[in-house]
Amino acid sequence: MGLFFKDIKTMEDLYVHGLQDIYYAENRIVKALPKMIEKTTDGELKRGFETHLKETENQVKRLERVFAMHDRPAQGHKCPAIDGIIREAEDVMGDIEDQDVLNTAIIALAQAVEHYEITRYGALMAWANELGHRQSAKVLGETLKEEKATDAKLTAIAERKMNPRADKSRSGVARKKSAGSRKKAARSAGKKTTRSSARGSAARSAKKTGRKKSAAGRRA
Ligand code: FE
Ligand code: FE
Ligand code: FE
């Protein structure tokens, strides 16, 4: 059992409590990730989690090094926040049947974990610097970088794969918009010039291209 809240009196105590909190959280994540790996049916996402599981195991060791730098035993302090995030993830993963929806949900759940870690490591790094623990701050910063990279990777996978319908409707809007702006451009070009036949043909060809593109969009 780590520091009790009532025992936190100084910045150093707060910092040590923060280390114990994230040490508990990382160990909890090491146990939770295999379930996420098992549940996800997307290959890229699965591989991403496998990589992050290895990183997380290393992050636990990194924290043990930080504890050692402060001559303290590596000790966890129960973190209700990570327990809640993981419990919610397990509930949601257990209830969704549609594979695409499930994978999309898993990404968002994993990002909730990463965001929790990012806030913790961000604060710990700042406190370590403030307390003059430069070496610890550097080590904590290595993990912070990995958490941010994992979060960015998850966002990229979500945008590329998991929201195909959102992507399609977005590019549909873009198509309509660009055809519309071509017409508009053609119209305003026509206003500037007296050659109305040129204006008509520009508008017609823009219309045609727009039609062709949307037909291609429907086929895709
Ligand atoms: Fe981590
Ligand atoms: Fe916590
Ligand atoms: Fe992480």
Side-chain angles (χ1 to χ4, degrees):
M1 194 65 183
L3 268 182
F4 287 105
F5 294 117
K6 66 173 176 51
D7 295 328
I8 300 174
K9 293 192 171 71
T10 64
M11 270 307 295
E12 191 70 39
D13 295 340
L14 184 65
Y15 168 69
V16 171
H17 172 264
L19 288 176
Q20 293 172 341
D21 176 277
I22 198 68
Y23 185 64
Y24 174 95
E26 293 288 18
N27 278 295
R28 188 81 178 74
I29 296 163
V30 166
K31 285 197 199 114
L33 270 170
K35 208 172 216 173
M36 284 192 153
I37 293 168
E38 186 198 305
K39 277 277 176 184
T40 182
T41 55
D42 180 83
E44 190 184 3
L45 191 54
K46 218 182 246 290
R47 285 191 296 279
F49 285 142
E50 278 160 358
T51 303
H52 198 51
L53 174 56
K54 283 191 200 106
E55 275 175 349
T56 306
E57 284 163 349
N58 191 42
Q59 290 167 359
V60 169
K61 289 194 191 117
R62 232 180 242 147
L63 281 171
E64 286 165 357
R65 260 164 51 212
V66 173
F67 278 111
M69 282 176 198
H70 300 297
D71 290 317
R72 288 193 180 257
Q75 223 170 19
H77 186 279
K78 191 172 165 60
C79 167
I82 203 72
D83 282 342
I85 292 171
I86 290 172
R87 202 177 319 123
E88 184 181 16
E90 286 168 352
D91 286 351
V92 174
M93 286 190 304
D95 284 340
I96 300 177
E97 277 174 24
D98 183 283
Q99 296 301 305
D100 288 341
V101 177
L102 175 67
N103 289 329
T104 305
I106 289 176
I107 292 177
L109 296 163
Q111 282 187 296
V113 174
E114 295 314 310
H115 286 204
Y116 179 75
E117 294 183 287
I118 289 167
T119 63
R120 284 292 167 255
Y121 280 107
L124 280 169
M125 218 181 115
W127 296 342
N129 274 319
E130 212 173 293
L131 292 164
H133 306 315
R134 303 265 175 246
Q135 195 51 37
S136 306
K138 216 178 131 207
V139 175
L140 294 166
E142 287 168 29
T143 298
L144 179 61
K145 218 165 132 191
E146 285 174 358
E147 311 295 19
K148 284 184 176 171
T150 302
D151 181 46
K153 225 192 266 175
L154 288 165
T155 298
I157 296 176
E159 284 179 351
R160 216 170 39 243
K161 286 190 175 176
M162 303 304 169
N163 300 321
R165 258 164 290 164
D167 273 346
K168 262 181 219 157
S169 66
R170 224 183 297 138
S171 56
V173 169
R175 267 198 306 277
K176 269 185 207 156
K177 259 195 185 162
S178 63
S181 43
R182 271 197 299 275
K183 274 188 218 169
K184 213 172 170 187
R187 266 199 303 277
S188 76
K191 268 181 202 157
K192 279 178 198 145
T193 166
T194 51
R195 289 186 303 182
S196 58
S197 60
R199 179 181 64 196
S201 90
R204 269 194 305 279
S205 79
K207 214 173 186 175
K208 229 167 149 184
T209 329
R211 228 183 288 132
K212 248 189 223 164
K213 284 215 167 172
S214 50
R218 273 197 300 275
R219 274 197 301 277

